[in-house]
């Protein structure tokens, strides 16, 4: 399986990164262990998490995903086989303020390391911007963690183009660590949060890009055909706006191409991201081992220019 270098780091990612937000949320500890075993067997050794995953689930308080990953690595003795990313900046309290101050980062990293049962994080992300902490302060905190060996590289997620550019400028000017990876929301249903300014900044500064919500919270799998299919479910808040003419066009285009290749719509949707300019690897989750088939499908096929054009056209606003 071909691996891609992330930014100017020594980290290499398989073509798809596994989204660990499901651990301790939609799959329990035992199922999570089984999932990680299968991922490693298939060659997918890169797992994306965050300190806040999955605080929103009933009975959870945050940190569940990291704790399960930590228990898994301890029980299998395989920390060296995995590349682990996690994030800081979200509040661990529902409705709390985002925080990327030096104090918060230096405290939060210790909690993440403890839950992950490791002495280092391969890639540590600014999860959300608090829009008040000077970028130099945030980067200074990361500098300390890198010097201490607790963090290897840093990345950013969900920053505005202005704050991302400001951070990159400060890295250069003040000789501070540089964000090497950017993580935007990106899919056939959500193109505006990456394409344009952010994409240009990432390409001009050699940033790796790992996109999340790659299947638009399951919409692009084709599992849900109408708003009625998700009425009253947890997914309604995420997918409610997708069942319009554009959404139908995208699903129809996906179905035509997936029928032609005899593979899943999820596999096609992932492959589309993999072939988009500036993308290093999409992040995708699964709740059952059989869902990982779409990962293999995406890796083992290539969309023609005509197929890419059809998907681009269907998903254009």
């Amino acid at each position: 399986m071909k691996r891609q270098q992330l930014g100017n780091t020594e980290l290499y990612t398989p073509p798809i990164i596994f989204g660990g937000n499901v651990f301790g949320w939609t799959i329990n500890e035992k199922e999570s262990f089984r999932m990680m075993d299968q991922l490693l067997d298939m060659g997918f050794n890169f797992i994306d998490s965050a300190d806040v995953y999955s605080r929103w689930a009933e009975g959870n308080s945050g940190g569940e995903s990291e704790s399960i990953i930590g228990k898994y690595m301890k029980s299998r003795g395989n920390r060296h086989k995995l590349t682990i990313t996690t994030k800081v900046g979200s509040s661990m309290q529902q409705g709390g303020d985002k925080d990327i101050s030096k104090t918060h980062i230096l405290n939060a990293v210790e909690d993440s390391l403890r839950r992950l049962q490791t002495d280092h994080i391969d890639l540590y992300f600014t999860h959300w911007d608090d829009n008040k902490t000077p970028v130099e302060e945030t980067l200074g905190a990361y500098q300390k963690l890198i010097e201490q060996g607790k963090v290897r590289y840093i990345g950013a997620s969900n920053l505005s183009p202005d704050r991302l550019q400001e951070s990159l400028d400060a890295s250069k000017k003040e000789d501070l660590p540089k964000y090497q990876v950017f993580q935007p929301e990106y899919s056939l249903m959500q193109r505006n949060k990456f394409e344009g300014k952010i994409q240009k900044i990432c390409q001009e500064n050699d940033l790796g890009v790992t996109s999340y919500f790659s299947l638009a919270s399951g919409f692009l799998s084709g599992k849900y055909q109408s708003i009625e299919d998700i009425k009253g479910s947890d997914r309604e808040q995420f997918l409610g706006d997708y069942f319009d003419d554009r959404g139908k066009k995208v699903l129809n285009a996906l179905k035509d191409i997936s029928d032609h290749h005899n593979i899943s719509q999820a596999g096609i949707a992932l492959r589309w991201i993999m072939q988009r300019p500036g993308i290093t690897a999409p992040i995708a989750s699964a709740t059952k081992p059989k869902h990982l088939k779409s990962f293999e499908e995406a890796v083992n096929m290539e969309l023609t220019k005509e197929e890419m054009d059809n998907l681009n056209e269907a998903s254009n606003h």
Side-chain angles (χ1 to χ4, degrees):
M1 191 184 293
K2 193 179 175 193
R3 288 168 194 273
Q4 299 275 1
Q5 185 179 11
L6 273 175
N8 293 311
T9 74
E10 292 177 2
L11 303 178
Y12 285 78
T13 175
I16 299 170
I17 293 168
F18 190 81
N21 60 325
V22 293
F23 299 148
W25 175 29
T26 47
I27 55 176
N28 63 30
E29 188 175 301
K30 188 179 176 184
E31 292 163 336
S32 300
F33 276 35
R34 194 180 306 136
M35 183 70 75
M36 285 185 271
D37 280 339
Q38 185 167 345
L39 283 163
L40 273 178
D41 286 346
M42 293 169 71
F44 295 102
N45 67 332
F46 204 116
I47 296 177
D48 176 83
S49 190
D51 57 2
V52 75
Y53 297 165
S54 47
R55 182 207 62 206
W56 53 84
E58 197 175 333
N60 282 2
S61 55
E64 287 78 16
S65 172
E66 289 180 334
S67 295
I68 286 174
I69 294 167
K71 286 179 190 173
Y72 171 77
M73 294 191 299
K74 183 84 182 288
S75 73
R76 300 290 193 266
N78 63 1
R79 171 68 183 96
H80 61 291
K81 291 183 179 177
L82 288 156
T83 303
I84 301 296
T85 83
T86 194
K87 309 181 192 78
V88 62
S90 290
S91 174
M92 300 298 268
Q93 273 73 48
Q94 194 71 37
D97 292 334
K98 296 172 175 65
D99 191 347
I100 50 169
S101 67
K102 184 173 184 178
T103 303
H104 179 73
I105 290 170
L106 296 183
N107 287 330
V109 76
E110 297 301 333
D111 292 335
S112 287
L113 289 167
R114 176 178 46 78
R115 287 188 290 259
L116 287 164
Q117 300 190 49
T118 185
D119 62 357
H120 72 280
I121 293 160
D122 295 303
L123 180 57
Y124 200 34
F125 280 94
T126 297
H127 198 173
W128 296 95
D129 200 348
D130 62 13
N131 295 308
K132 61 182 182 188
T133 302
V135 297
E136 293 83 1
E137 180 182 332
T138 301
L139 296 172
Y142 293 139
Q143 184 171 40
K144 188 170 183 181
L145 296 177
I146 290 168
E147 286 168 357
Q148 292 172 342
K150 293 175 181 177
V151 167
R152 291 181 67 194
Y153 302 102
I154 59 169
S157 183
N158 306 302
L159 294 193
S160 69
D162 288 348
R163 284 279 274 187
L164 177 58
Q165 189 62 62
E166 190 186 344
S167 301
L168 293 167
D169 291 344
S171 299
K172 207 176 287 184
K173 193 177 167 190
E174 307 294 335
D175 196 27
L176 290 163
K178 174 194 168 190
Y179 289 133
Q180 295 287 347
V181 184
F182 191 73
Q183 189 174 120
E185 180 180 353
Y186 190 55
S187 72
L188 278 160
M189 293 307 296
Q190 178 52 266
R191 295 173 60 177
N192 294 344
K193 291 183 181 177
F194 173 60
E195 293 178 12
K197 281 186 181 177
I198 287 281
Q199 184 179 27
K200 190 166 183 279
I201 293 169
C202 290
Q203 289 177 320
E204 286 174 350
N205 292 275
D206 294 327
L207 303 195
V209 178
T210 60
S211 57
Y212 71 89
F213 278 177
S214 302
L215 297 177
S217 299
F219 177 78
L220 296 171
S221 69
K223 186 177 171 185
Y224 314 104
Q225 293 300 316
S226 74
I227 193 83
E228 301 307 317
D229 293 346
I230 55 165
K231 271 281 183 237
S233 76
D234 289 345
R235 293 195 179 262
E236 189 173 2
Q237 60 174 319
F238 295 112
L239 306 186
D241 294 337
Y242 289 159
F243 293 96
D244 56 10
D245 287 344
R246 177 171 169 262
K248 286 173 193 165
K249 273 186 197 168
V250 169
L251 289 183
N252 287 337
L254 279 173
K255 187 173 189 313
D256 287 346
I257 297 169
S258 70
D259 286 350
H260 176 70
H261 290 278
N262 196 28
I263 66 175
S264 68
Q265 289 182 209
I268 300 294
L270 288 172
R271 186 69 208 186
W272 175 83
I273 298 177
M274 289 160 64
Q275 289 183 217
R276 293 296 290 156
I279 295 287
T280 314
I283 299 166
S285 299
T287 54
K288 293 184 173 66
K290 66 180 182 184
H291 295 163
L292 296 179
K293 189 166 188 284
S294 65
F295 287 29
E296 279 190 324
E297 290 171 340
V299 169
N300 293 319
M301 67 92 60
E302 188 152 345
L303 292 166
T304 65
K305 182 183 182 302
E306 185 185 357
E307 288 166 339
M308 287 295 287
D309 288 346
N310 289 345
L311 289 167
N312 291 341
E313 193 179 327
S315 61
N316 264 336
H317 279 286

